[in-house]
């Protein structure tokens, strides 16, 4: 059967989706251009035409996967409700006990980024975007008088550092930390950063 002719953008999108699938199946370090080409039934040369190197393909695939979670985060933080409600929903979703996808991909990416400058730049930029989005809503809540937070940027860094660390524990060592305990730690950390009792995170009307 003849393949449907795709635009350049559609072809790149197809390749990125295939690369994400191969990375999830094989790991960042083990995936090859040939694996992505084989999954799509195209030549290695065509994949290299669009991305030139494996490193550039992996970096683009990682950004493609992470952008989905970033879009979800921005949608949560952009809702028309209190800053506290938005933060609570976003942090619980982003936590490794929540519904955010891709933690294994993030952990793989962090490991390879130690040696690959292209991927390191992508992960650094995505990390900055996560922290900036959280910090912006923290600042909104302070301005609205909902809670106190002396330094939203530092608070965002502490919160995401806790979530990242818990993700490594829960993803790499299943059972090392009970999910209910991890969720309690996340709630306690958020409440502490906001100068609120933990019960305020679940109080009706907030």
């Amino acid at each position: 059967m003849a393949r449907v002719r795709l635009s350049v953008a559609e072809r790149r999108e197809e390749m990125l989706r295939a690369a994400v699938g191969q990375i999830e199946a094989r790991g960042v370090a083990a995936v090859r251009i040939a694996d992505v080409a084989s999954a799509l039934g195209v030549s290695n040369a065509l994949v290299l035409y669009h991305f030139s190197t494996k490193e550039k393909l992996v970096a683009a695939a990682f950004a493609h996967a992470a952008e989905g979670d970033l879009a979800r985060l921005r949608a949560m933080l952009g809702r028309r409700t209190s800053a506290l409600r938005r933060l609570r929903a976003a942090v619980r979703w982003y936590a490794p006990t929540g519904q955010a996808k891709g933690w294994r991909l993030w952990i793989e990416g962090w490991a390879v980024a130690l040696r690959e400058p292209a991927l390191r730049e992508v992960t650094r930029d995505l990390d900055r975007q996560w922290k900036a989005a959280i910090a912006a809503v923290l600042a909104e809540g302070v301005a609205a008088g909902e809670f106190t937070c002396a330094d939203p940027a530092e608070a965002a860094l502490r919160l995401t550092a806790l979530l990242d660390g818990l993700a490594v524990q829960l993803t790499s060592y299943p059972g090392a930390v009970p999910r209910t305990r991890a969720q309690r730690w996340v709630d306690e950390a958020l409440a502490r950063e906001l100068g609120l009792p933990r019960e305020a995170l679940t109080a009706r009307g907030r």
Side-chain angles (χ1 to χ4, degrees):
M1 181 180 295
R3 287 180 58 83
V4 175
R5 187 174 183 84
L6 302 177
S7 69
V8 171
E10 289 170 335
R11 178 68 76 192
R12 283 179 62 88
E13 175 84 11
E14 180 186 59
M15 289 179 179
L16 291 174
R17 287 198 304 268
V20 170
Q22 290 300 309
I23 290 168
E24 289 174 340
R26 302 170 186 272
V28 176
V31 74
R32 303 170 303 162
I33 289 288
D35 298 322
V36 176
S38 177
L40 294 174
V42 300
S43 67
N44 293 2
L46 183 60
V47 178
L48 289 169
Y49 170 79
H50 285 276
F51 295 98
S52 74
T53 67
K54 172 195 165 178
E55 290 72 26
K56 289 182 179 179
L57 171 62
V58 167
F62 190 89
H64 175 77
E67 280 294 339
D69 277 350
L70 272 170
R72 177 72 182 275
L73 176 72
R74 293 186 182 110
M76 284 185 178
L77 295 180
R79 291 173 180 167
R80 292 189 174 184
T81 185
S82 69
L84 177 57
R85 279 180 179 271
R86 286 178 283 154
L87 284 168
R88 181 180 61 199
V91 168
R92 287 184 175 179
W93 168 77
Y94 176 59
T97 56
Q99 299 300 311
K101 298 178 181 179
W103 274 116
R104 186 174 297 278
L105 191 67
W106 270 101
I107 293 167
E108 285 263 8
W110 289 332
V112 176
L114 293 173
R115 300 178 298 279
E116 296 291 350
L119 186 55
R120 183 163 59 247
E121 190 56 37
V122 168
T123 57
R124 180 186 292 126
D125 180 60
L126 292 167
D127 186 62
R128 286 172 180 157
Q129 291 185 60
W130 279 101
K131 289 177 173 61
I134 296 291
V137 180
L138 283 167
E140 284 182 38
V142 172
E146 293 183 38
F147 46 74
T148 61
C149 180
D151 191 324
E154 285 194 4
L157 194 157
R158 285 189 294 268
L159 284 169
T160 53
L162 171 65
L163 298 175
D164 292 345
L166 284 174
V168 172
Q169 289 293 314
L170 271 68
T171 303
S172 301
Y173 312 112
V177 180
R179 293 174 70 85
T180 53
R181 184 182 303 167
Q183 186 60 67
R184 187 181 77 244
W185 290 346
V186 170
D187 285 349
E188 289 172 351
L190 178 58
R192 187 164 52 248
E193 294 292 352
L194 304 182
L196 298 172
R198 183 187 168 201
E199 294 72 25
L201 298 183
T202 55
R204 305 188 82 177
R206 282 188 175 271

